Amino acid sequence: MEISGVISAIVIGIVIGVLGRLVVPGRQRIGILWTIAIGIVAAFIGTGIASGLDVADTKGVDWVEWLIQIALAALGVAAISKVKVRH
């Protein structure tokens, strides 16, 4: 992977993580680094799921892929937030 691919993954991860965090109601007690990490993982997994469903490459904006990624990020944020609250 080239440096531009890594930078793109980080930027997309930030966007996906922040959008996922906005979807989860209430206050999340996780930091920005957790949000970015969750967003990056959600972006990669969401792309894989979208490819499996054959909705990853469409003309224009890939709305279904984005929705999958944001939903995964929201699940990740909620899960990590619950784990952090318990400790």
Side-chain angles (χ1 to χ4, degrees):
M1 182 176 265
E2 294 180 18
I3 190 71
S4 62
V6 172
I7 293 171
S8 296
I10 291 170
V11 170
I12 290 170
I14 291 169
V15 171
I16 295 294
V18 169
L19 290 173
R21 192 171 178 155
L22 289 173
V23 170
V24 177
R27 181 176 172 167
Q28 298 82 39
R29 300 192 185 277
I30 61 173
I32 191 68
L33 293 178
W34 274 111
T35 303
I36 293 169
I38 291 167
I40 291 169
V41 170
F44 281 119
I45 294 172
T47 299
I49 292 171
S51 294
L53 296 174
D54 200 29
V55 293
D57 293 320
T58 60
K59 292 183 179 182
V61 178
D62 298 326
W63 293 109
V64 176
E65 182 178 8
W66 273 85
L67 290 175
I68 292 170
Q69 292 171 337
I70 293 168
L72 289 171
L75 288 172
V77 165
I80 296 296
S81 183
K82 285 191 187 272
V83 169
K84 295 280 248 178
V85 167
R86 290 183 185 165
H87 287 118

